[in-house]
Amino acid sequence: VCSEMSPQQFLRILRARWLLVLLTIVITVGATIAVSLLLPPRYTAPATVLVDFKGVDPISGGNVPMLPMGVYLATQVDVIKSHNVARRAVDVLKLADNPAARDLFMKDTGGRGNIRDWLADLLLKHLDIDPSRDSTVINLGSTGNDARFSAAVANAFVHSYITTYLELKTGPARETNVFFNEQIKTMKDNLNPVVGSRAAAAPC
């Protein structure tokens, strides 16, 4: 029959094995430090995008029906993660002209393919995007071994997204303006011969 262990007995056992406990702690802490020293440091640079959720017709200036906020935010996240935005970020950072980036591209691909596309895919692999649940804020972060470069990549994605977003918003209005200008020019060209012929037929 086993009797319950008293507190005094537990303390005696703990004192007898304190060296083993201390050694386990030292080994665990030492292993953690060793892994931290051996692995390259990782930095995550955060950035924030505030999405405009107001639906305004760029031609009339009036309000237009909008998608539900969740769907709209998911669409904007897809735009940020798009290859087009990533390529713009590569151009903002001028990575395709960087000798170190070109060397990595050559080693990885043997020179096959487009370096801008390769760099865009590489940046997207280290990009994290987290849309807010209760607001129109989208948080993104770029993770890398260099803190300043990670921050530059995050800012480049924000800049590229804003440029792409404005193009998507103003593109239809610009195309409509070009269409109307062409129609007005055609109407003027068609009207001028008629006016000229009437002027020629008028009696002196």
Side-chain angles (χ1 to χ4, degrees), residues 4 41 60 126 128 132 149 198 202:
E4 294 185 0
S60 65
H126 300 281
D128 296 319
S132 176
F149 179 71
R198 287 181 179 177

Side-chain angles (χ1 to χ4, degrees), residues 27-50:
I27 292 175
T28 303
V29 173
T32 303
I33 295 174
V35 170
S36 300
L37 292 176
L38 290 174
L39 291 178
R42 307 291 289 176
Y43 304 96
T44 299
T48 302
V49 175
L50 178 62

Side-chain angles (χ1 to χ4, degrees), residues 43 90 129 137 143 166 175 178 183-184 193:
Y43 304 96
V90 169
I129 303 177
V137 171
T143 302
L166 292 176
E175 292 176 1
V178 171
Q183 294 299 310
I184 292 172

Side-chain angles (χ1 to χ4, degrees), residues 133-168:
R133 295 183 178 179
D134 303 318
S135 68
T136 58
V137 171
I138 298 177
N139 301 303
L140 59 91
S142 175
T143 302
N145 297 332
D146 184 89
R148 285 186 297 179
F149 179 71
S150 297
V153 171
N155 292 330
F157 265 93
V158 171
H159 174 82
S160 301
Y161 162 71
I162 292 173
T163 302
T164 303
Y165 175 81
L166 292 176
E167 286 182 356
L168 293 174

Side-chain angles (χ1 to χ4, degrees), residues 171-191:
R174 187 163 51 248
E175 292 176 1
T176 302
N177 185 52
V178 171
F179 172 77
F180 281 133
N181 287 337
E182 291 177 350
Q183 294 299 310
I184 292 172
K185 183 178 182 300
T186 301
M187 293 173 65
K188 286 182 178 180
D189 292 342
N190 293 335
L191 184 62

